[in-house]
Each structure stands twice: as C-alpha cells, then as structure tokens.
Amino acid sequence: MIISGKELSAKLKAEMAHQVAAFPQKYGRVPHLVVILVGDDPASVSYVTGKAKASEVVGIRNTTIRKPADIPEAELLDLIRQLNEDDTVDGILVQLPLPEHIREAKVIETISEAKDVDGFHPLNVAALWQKQPCVLPCTPKGIIKMLKAAGVEIKGKRAVVIGRSNIVGLPVAKLLLDENATVTIAHSKTVDLPSVTRQAEILVVAIGKPGFVTADMVSEGAAVIDVGVNRNPATGKLCGDVDFAAVEPKASVITPVPGGVGPMTICCLMENTIECFLNRQENRLV
Ligand code: NAP
C-alpha cells in the first residue's frame, strides 16, 4: 500500500480550514504565519511557495518576506525580534538553509519559542525530549500521522531510523520511542547497515542520497517511510532515498517521493501555526 501524503494532507487541511473559518467570529482574526526567505535558492523558493499555497487553502494569513542573500545577520535577527514583538504574528519561520555568513543556530534561537512553528528552538527541542508540551517539528510529526493513518501499529515494533539530524532523524526517533517502538538510530558510521535495517518493522530513511535503500536492506512486510528529497542524477526528477520500484513489492506500506512526507510536513506546519495561535489566544503555555 502506498501512503499518499498528498491525499492525507488534503483531508487534514480541509478539516483545518473548517476549524479556522470559525476563528474570526471567536477571536476576531485568523492565524498569521510569517515566512522569511533569504536569497533565491530555487528549492527554497518552491518550499516557501508551497507554504503560502497551503496557508491559502487552510485560510491562514501568510506573509512572505524576501531578503537578499547578502543581508547582514544582525539585520535578519532584528527583523525576527520585531516579529516576536508583533501581536498580529503567531508563527515565524525562516526558510533553511541560510547563506554561510548567517549562523542558523543564532537565527533559530532568536525566534520566540511561542512562535516557533518549525519546532526547532532549543527550548522546544528540550521540551520534546523531556516529554513536556511543545511545538513538535513538522516532518517527524507528519511521519507519525502517516503511519497511524495507514493503520501501522507502532507500539512494540522494531523501528530503525537512518539519519540523526536535529530536524529529522533524532526527533523522528524520539516520537517513535514515545509511541513505544523500540528504536535504533543508524548513521554514516553504522557498521553493516543492511543487517540493521533488515531488523526493522518500521524503517524511516532520512539521508539525502537518491535510491540509497535497496530491496536487500528491507525485510518483507516492513513499513517504509522515505524522507529524502533528491534529484535523480539520470533523469533530474525528484526522488527519495529509497529505490521505490525495488522496495515497494516487499513493503507493507511505503511513502512515495514526491507526494509522501513532503506534503505532510507542510500540513503539520499549518497545524503548528494554528496551535501557536490558539496558545496565544487562550494564554496557554507552549
Ligand atoms: P542531514 O542533516 O544531511 O543528515 C543526513 C543523515 O544521514 C546524517 O545523520 C548522516 O549520518 C546520515 N547518512 C549520510 N550518509 C549515510 C550513509 N551512507 N549511511 C547511513 N547514514 C548516512 O540531512 P537531513 O536534514 O536530516 O535530511 C535528510 C533528507 O531528508 C534530505 O534529502 C532532505 O532534503 C530531506 N528532508 C525532507 C523533508 C520533507 O519534508 N520531506 C524535510 C527535511 C529533510 P552522520 O550523522 O553520521 O553524518
């Protein structure tokens, strides 16, 4: 079974649109997401456009602020601080990656944790690992939703996550652990990776290497989640980290690229923006 992130996200966005439609009467306004795009990297432009389109579907106000690639770091941080103070703004997202002269960590920690719709702020990350209320990072949150929507029981399963980045691998592993899976995190120094991945009943791949996971690395009946977004070197088309054609016949469920985790990430961004809005409206702590 192919888990369509496109279909699931369309359904969830329609539900959110219904929820948001009641906000003007209840709260006097709709949630407001501000996205900052530095430079004009084509992939980043396309992600930012996708976020604006999704906001329109859900009925969220979206402001995209474009800044040149050579913007001084101090100016970007000042802009973020102004948005932190702006009561009409509920969510702030700075599209990553940033030009080399700007420290990403500095940018992330400058965004108020109450408006950190990406869930990257150190206080949100700490809260996640301490099982405290927090904004969950969008991609990991979307992955858990997809597994649940596909009817995959997570509790008690052996899960393997390939990749240990702060934005995907580590938080996915934590969320799977919180769902009571037994989790192994594999990485570039893992010895005999195929013997590890063949143990997986749930396999999440977040590496960034086209077609890296081959059929011999996957056990029969595994649920396979492909987070990778790459260009196929031969065709130039978008592809994942998993050799989809070879792995799909073995997997019980699998996500495609494109149309899998990507749309769910944006969907969860919409959900997080609504959550930050409601937290502020109802004076709830994040
Ligand atoms: P990243 O920061 O570059 O991390 C890559 C991870 O893969 C690292 O932990 C690295 O291990 C591991 N790795 C690299 N080569 C490996 C190998 N040969 N064997 C085992 N592990 C290996 O990347 P990321 O930000 O997590 O993103 C991963 C992919 O997901 C990218 O394609 C990215 O575009 C995509 N992505 C998609 C979405 C979405 O919404 N669909 C969101 C975010 C990211 P070490 O730690 O040992 O170096």
Side-chain angles (χ1 to χ4, degrees):
M1 183 178 114
I2 297 172
I3 316 176
S4 168
K6 210 171 156 185
E7 276 175 27
L8 179 59
S9 67
K11 176 176 161 271
L12 295 173
K13 281 188 289 190
E15 287 170 10
M16 284 186 262
H18 185 69
Q19 182 189 12
V20 169
F23 288 170
Q25 200 184 5
K26 198 165 175 199
Y27 303 109
R29 66 180 186 89
V30 295
H32 183 193
L33 171 65
V34 175
V35 177
I36 302 173
L37 172 62
V38 177
D40 53 9
D41 170 68
S44 294
V45 171
S46 132
Y47 287 135
V48 165
T49 308
K51 288 164 187 174
K53 280 188 186 154
S55 302
E56 203 179 314
V57 170
V58 173
I60 285 175
R61 179 176 162 207
N62 182 298
T63 304
T64 301
I65 301 177
R66 292 192 71 156
K67 291 288 175 188
D70 62 355
I71 183 176
E73 182 187 274
E75 195 180 320
L76 180 61
L77 297 181
D78 275 347
L79 171 62
I80 294 169
R81 289 188 192 102
Q82 281 168 29
L83 295 168
N84 285 343
E85 294 302 315
D86 186 338
D87 273 345
T88 69
V89 173
D90 303 292
I92 304 168
L93 182 154
V94 179
Q95 185 64 45
L96 302 178
L98 288 165
E100 266 181 21
H101 69 281
I102 300 175
R103 290 166 295 171
E104 277 186 7
K106 192 77 195 156
V107 167
I108 289 169
E109 73 179 35
T110 302
I111 298 172
S112 151
E113 74 269 23
K115 297 188 179 185
D116 171 36
V117 281
D118 258 339
F120 293 165
H121 190 283
L123 289 176
N124 271 319
V125 175
L128 168 67
W129 287 88
Q130 290 174 354
K131 289 199 186 177
Q132 297 298 314
C134 63
V135 180
L136 293 178
C138 302
T139 302
K141 185 177 183 180
I143 290 170
I144 300 295
K145 280 183 189 286
M146 290 177 99
L147 286 168
K148 288 186 174 171
V152 175
E153 169 89 47
I154 302 175
K155 183 176 159 191
K157 291 283 171 59
R158 285 188 303 274
V160 173
V161 179
I162 319 181
R164 54 178 166 179
S165 73
N166 285 332
I167 62 169
V168 190
L170 286 182
V172 170
K174 175 66 168 81
L175 293 188
L176 287 165
L177 186 64
D178 288 348
E179 296 287 339
N180 295 307
T182 300
V183 185
T184 301
I185 304 173
H187 45 77
S188 67
K189 308 291 184 292
T190 298
V191 175
D192 194 4
L193 183 62
S195 74
V196 176
T197 56
R198 279 195 293 268
Q199 301 288 315
E201 294 168 285
I202 298 171
L203 178 62
V204 180
V205 191
I207 316 172
K209 294 198 168 145
F212 179 87
V213 170
T214 46
D216 62 303
M217 295 170 73
V218 178
S219 73
E220 203 70 47
V224 179
I225 304 288
D226 188 352
V227 188
V229 180
N230 315 291
R231 291 272 163 202
N232 180 318
T235 63
K237 288 191 175 157
L238 271 190
C239 70
D241 290 345
V242 174
D243 179 346
F244 186 88
V247 170
E248 194 252 342
K250 287 184 94 175
S252 58
V253 295
I254 186 166
T255 60
V257 179
V261 175
M264 283 304 294
T265 298
I266 295 190
C267 176
C268 290
L269 172 67
M270 298 297 110
E271 205 178 275
N272 285 354
T273 305
I274 294 172
E275 193 180 310
C276 289
F277 167 82
L278 289 174
N279 284 340
R280 298 180 66 245
Q281 291 295 327
E282 297 174 4
N283 288 322
R284 287 198 299 247
L285 290 175
V286 176

